[in-house]
Amino acid sequence: MKRNKKANFSVIRRILSLALRHKGCFFPGMILVIGGTALSLLAPVLTGKAIDYALFGATDFAMIARYCVIIAACVAASGVAVWTGNILLSRLAFLTVRDVRAELFGKLLSVPLSVIERHSRGDLMTRMTTFGENLSDGLYQGIMQLSAGIVTLIMTIVCMYVMNWAVATLVVLLTPVSAFVSAAIAKRNRVTFARQSENMEKMSGLAEEQLSGTRILRAYGRVSASEKDFAEINSELFKSGLSSQFAGALVNPVSRIVNNIIYAIVAVVGGLFIVGTMHGGWATNIAAPLTLGGLSAFLAYANQFAKPFNDVTSVTAELQTAASAARRIFEITDAADEDKGGSLAVEHPVSGIEFDDVSFSYSDKPFMEHITFAAAQGEKIALVGTTGSGKTTIINLIMRFYDITGGRLVFDGRDIESYPREGVRRSFGMVLQDTWLFSGTVRENIAYGKPDATEEEIRLAARAARLDNFIGTLERGYDTVISGDGEELSEGQKQLIAIARVFLTSPEMLILDEATASVDAMTERTVQSAFADLLGGKTSFIVAHRLSTIRDSDLIVVMDKGHIIESGTHESLVAAGGFYTRMLKAAE
C-alpha cells in the first residue's frame, strides 16, 4: 500500500512538472484563483459587521450601506478573478495534455516495434484519447480545488481566531472529523479507479479489433459471440465504474451530515458566548467576546472551513483518475526509443547483403537459428516456406525493424549496425500484402514516399503500376479522396496504389512481401511485367506463396520453422526433389 501511495505521488508530481512548462498559465491562474477565493472569504466578516450596525436599536444606515458596497465590490472582484483564473487553469490543462499527446504520438513512432506489438490498437488509442481527457480533467480540478482549498483553510482559521479564539478552536478541532470520513472512503476507492481504467482499455481494444474485422466476424457467424465478449467487458466496466462513483458519491452526503452536526454545535456554543459577552460577562473576561454579527460570520466560516475537507474526495477521485490515466500513458512514453543505429553513411549502390549464421529470438525464446545466405548487388532473392517459417522475420531483420540476437548481418560489407536505421530503410522500397492508405487524395497516397513529386512523375508511376486506367474511371481522378482504410477500393486497387508508391520513389533495393497476393490473375500478369522493369538491376527480396512468380530468382531460400532447409536456383531445387519440389506439386 505504501508503495502504491508513493507511486501515485510520484505520478502526480510528474504531472505537475509537465504543467509547470506553461508558467504563463500556471502562476497567473493560481494567483487569480487564490486572490479571488481570498476576496470571497472577506464577505462573512464584512456581513457580520453590517449586522452589528443594524442591531440593538442603534442602526447606522450609512455604515450598513458602506459595508454593502464593499461586500458587493469584493464579491464582484472575486468572481472576475476566479473566472479568469479558471480560464487560465483550463488552458493550462489542455496545453499540458496537448504536450503529453504529442510526446505519446512521437514515442509511438520512435519505440521499437516490439513495444507497439504488445498492445492492441484500441488500447493505444484509448491512451491517446480517453486517458488524455482524464488527465486534463484531473489536472484542472486538482490545481483549482487544491489552491482554493488551501487559501480557504488558512484565511478562515486566521479570521476565526481574530474574532474569537475559543469558538475558532472548537471549529478547528471538530471539522477534521469530516476529513477523516472522506479519507476513509477515498482510500477504498483507489483500486476501483484503477480497475475502471483497465476495463475501459479492454473495451476499446475489443471494439477496435471487432469493428476492423467486421466482415470476417459476420462471415463466420460470430456476431453473437462478439456481442457476448463485449457484454462481459462492458458489464465489468459498469461494475467497476459504478463502484468508483458510488464510493465517490458516498463521501459528500456523509460529510454533509457530519458538517451539519458541527454547524449546530458551533451555533449553540456561539450563542452561549454572545450571552457571555453581554454586560461584560464571562466571555469578555477570557478575552473571547462574540457579537451576533460575529456569530453569523463564524457560521459562514465554519461552512467554508469544512468545504476543503468536503472536496477532498472529489479532488482525490479526480487526481486518482488522472494518475491512473497518466501512468498508462507514461508506460509508453517511458519506453526506450529505438536506437538510431550507427553513424556510417550508406553509400550507393549497396554491394549486397549477407546473413552469416544469424539467429533471432522473440524475448528469450529462440525463433531462427543458423540463417546463412547472401544477396549480391542486383540479385533477386526469393523467400518461400510454410506459414510462420520466418520469411517475414527475415524482411524485418533486413529493414532493422528487429535486431538479430546472434551472428552477423552484413550490409554493403559492414555490420548493418554500423549504419543509421533510417539510412538502411531509405535504401529499400516495400510492397506488402497488407496495404496501408491514409485519408487523402489518390495523388497524395501515391506520392507518400516522395511528397515533392511532380504531377508528371506521379502519373508515370501510376501508369507503370497499371493504375492509370482505374484512376481515369474515378469522378475526380487523382483528386479523388479515399478514406484511411480504403473501404471504397478493392484489395487489388489498394495494392496497386502501394505498388505505384514504389515506382515513384524508384529505390535501389526492393522488398516484395506477397506484393500481388490480392491482385487478380489478369492484373497480376501486367503488374509482374511492370515489376520486371522495376526489378532490373536492383537487389530484391521477394516473399511469395505463388511459386510461379519466383522461378527466375537468382537464389531461392526455402524455410521451415525458423531454419533454412534448402537453397538454390529453381532448377537445382527441382533436381534435388526436396521440400521445394513438394511445394511445387502441392501448388499445381
Side-chain angles (χ1 to χ4, degrees):
M1 185 63 70
K2 290 183 178 179
R3 185 179 300 175
N4 290 336
K5 288 182 179 179
K6 187 176 181 180
N8 283 337
F9 179 74
S10 177
V11 171
I12 292 172
R13 184 173 59 186
R14 183 170 174 180
I15 294 172
L16 290 176
S17 70
L18 293 173
L20 282 170
R21 295 177 182 177
H22 305 284
K23 296 181 176 66
C25 291
F26 187 94
F27 291 111
M30 289 276 288
I31 291 170
L32 285 168
V33 169
I34 290 172
T37 303
L39 282 173
S40 70
L41 292 172
L42 293 176
V45 69
L46 294 173
T47 302
K49 293 289 185 183
I51 290 173
D52 285 340
Y53 277 108
L55 295 177
F56 307 120
T59 302
D60 189 334
F61 288 104
M63 290 301 296
I64 293 173
R66 182 180 300 176
Y67 275 110
C68 286
V69 171
I70 295 173
I71 291 169
C74 285
V75 171
S78 171
V80 172
V82 172
W83 177 72
T84 307
N86 285 347
I87 291 176
L88 289 174
L89 292 179
S90 178
R91 178 177 173 81
L92 168 72
F94 283 115
L95 286 172
T96 303
V97 173
R98 180 202 65 182
D99 294 346
V100 170
R101 282 177 174 153
E103 183 180 355
L104 175 59
F105 185 76
K107 178 62 72 169
L108 290 173
L109 297 178
S110 63
V111 294
L113 282 181
S114 58
V115 175
I116 305 296
E117 291 168 351
R118 284 198 296 267
H119 304 276
S120 68
R121 284 190 295 175
D123 173 10
L124 296 176
M125 288 304 300
T126 299
R127 297 179 194 234
M128 183 73 70
T129 55
T130 304
F131 288 167
E133 293 300 324
N134 291 343
L135 177 56
S136 174
D137 293 342
L139 184 62
Y140 169 67
Q141 294 293 338
I143 293 177
M144 184 184 71
Q145 292 189 19
L146 283 176
S147 58
I150 290 172
V151 71
T152 297
L153 285 173
I154 294 173
M155 279 204 64
T156 51
I157 289 175
V158 171
C159 290
M160 286 190 297
Y161 270 98
V162 168
M163 290 188 296
N164 187 297
W165 65 267
V167 181
T169 301
L170 177 66
V171 173
V172 170
L173 291 176
L174 290 177
T175 303
V177 174
S178 177
F180 293 135
V181 172
S182 300
I185 300 175
K187 183 178 180 181
R188 302 181 61 182
N189 206 24
R190 294 191 187 100
V191 175
T192 57
F193 271 103
R195 189 179 300 122
Q196 183 181 11
S197 295
E198 292 174 2
N199 289 328
M200 177 68 74
E201 205 173 287
K202 289 179 182 178
M203 188 175 72
S204 298
L206 178 67
E208 168 73 23
E209 179 183 89
Q210 299 295 306
L211 291 175
S212 63
T214 184
R215 289 185 177 85
I216 302 299
L217 183 149
R218 296 185 186 188
Y220 280 91
R222 297 288 297 176
V223 173
S224 297
S226 179
E227 289 178 340
K228 181 180 178 181
D229 292 341
F230 185 86
E232 289 178 359
I233 297 177
N234 198 26
S235 177
E236 288 299 318
L237 178 60
F238 168 76
K239 292 176 183 177
S240 58
L242 184 63
S243 178
S244 298
Q245 294 307 314
F246 175 78
L250 182 63
V251 176
N252 200 30
V254 172
S255 298
R256 286 185 181 277
I257 292 173
V258 176
N259 292 338
N260 288 336
I261 294 173
I262 294 171
Y263 187 91
I265 293 173
V266 172
V268 172
V269 173
L272 294 175
F273 271 85
I274 292 174
V275 174
T277 301
M278 294 178 180
H279 312 297
W282 58 268
T284 303
N285 295 333
I286 63 172
L290 188 65
T291 65
L292 186 59
L295 178 59
S296 172
F298 248 106
L299 293 175
Y301 282 132
N303 273 338
Q304 292 284 357
F305 186 66
K307 188 176 184 301
F309 295 105
N310 294 339
D311 291 341
V312 164
T313 299
S314 60
V315 173
T316 301
E318 292 287 352
L319 289 178
Q320 284 177 352
T321 302
S324 179
R327 191 177 299 108
R328 298 280 181 176
I329 294 173
F330 294 155
E331 284 176 4
I332 303 295
T333 58
D334 288 345
D337 284 344
E338 182 181 60
D339 71 86
K340 302 298 183 182
S343 58
L344 190 64
V346 176
E347 297 182 0
H348 301 286
V350 175
S351 62
I353 299 173
E354 179 183 357
F355 281 73
D356 182 9
D357 197 30
V358 166
S359 59
F360 172 73
S361 300
Y362 289 105
S363 300
D364 297 328
K365 184 178 180 180
F367 176 66
M368 292 198 321
E369 294 178 313
H370 310 302
I371 303 299
T372 299
F373 70 91
Q377 181 186 348
E379 286 190 338
K380 179 179 177 181
I381 309 299
L383 301 171
V384 300
T386 56
T387 300
S389 59
K391 304 184 298 297
T392 301
T393 302
I394 292 286
I395 301 302
N396 286 329
L397 293 175
I398 293 173
M399 293 293 291
R400 293 211 68 194
F401 294 141
Y402 301 152
D403 288 326
I404 64 174
T405 53
R408 293 181 68 221
L409 178 52
V410 180
F411 184 89
D412 199 22
R414 297 176 182 269
D415 283 342
I416 199 168
E417 290 88 351
S418 304
Y419 300 95
R421 290 181 190 268
E422 185 177 356
V424 171
R425 291 167 183 169
R426 284 187 175 276
S427 302
F428 290 91
M430 294 184 70
V431 181
L432 308 178
Q433 181 176 1
D434 297 324
T435 56
W436 177 79
L437 303 178
F438 61 90
S439 297
T441 64
V442 173
R443 175 186 291 103
E444 291 168 339
N445 270 276
I446 293 175
Y448 184 75
K450 190 179 180 182
D452 58 347
T454 65
E455 183 70 18
E456 182 61 24
E457 288 175 324
I458 293 172
R459 290 179 180 272
L460 286 173
R463 205 169 298 137
R466 310 305 192 261
L467 185 64
D468 56 332
N469 288 336
F470 159 68
I471 295 175
T473 66
L474 299 176
E475 183 178 352
R476 300 189 62 188
Y478 286 85
D479 293 319
T480 301
V481 177
I482 57 179
S483 62
D485 54 8
E487 281 191 352
E488 61 270 54
L489 304 177
S490 70
E491 291 299 322
Q493 289 163 349
K494 290 190 287 187
Q495 195 75 297
L496 290 175
I497 291 176
I499 292 170
R501 285 178 183 167
V502 178
F503 275 104
L504 180 60
T505 56
S506 188
E508 178 184 349
M509 294 179 284
L510 293 172
I511 291 175
L512 310 179
D513 191 347
E514 296 293 340
T516 60
S518 301
V519 179
D520 61 82
M522 185 175 293
T523 304
E524 182 182 10
R525 284 195 292 271
T526 58
V527 172
Q528 289 293 350
S529 175
F531 270 141
D533 295 335
L534 182 63
L535 292 171
K538 298 181 185 297
T539 307
S540 57
F541 296 85
I542 302 174
V543 176
H545 288 145
R546 298 181 186 177
L547 302 184
S548 59
T549 63
I550 48 94
R551 291 174 182 265
D552 62 339
S553 299
D554 296 290
L555 178 67
I556 299 174
V557 177
V558 184
M559 301 192 67
D560 185 45
K561 297 179 181 179
H563 293 80
I564 295 177
I565 57 175
E566 292 179 324
S567 63
T569 63
H570 172 75
E571 291 76 14
S572 65
L573 290 173
V574 170
F579 191 81
Y580 179 75
T581 304
R582 293 197 296 273
M583 290 179 66
L584 281 176
K585 291 180 179 180
E588 292 177 353

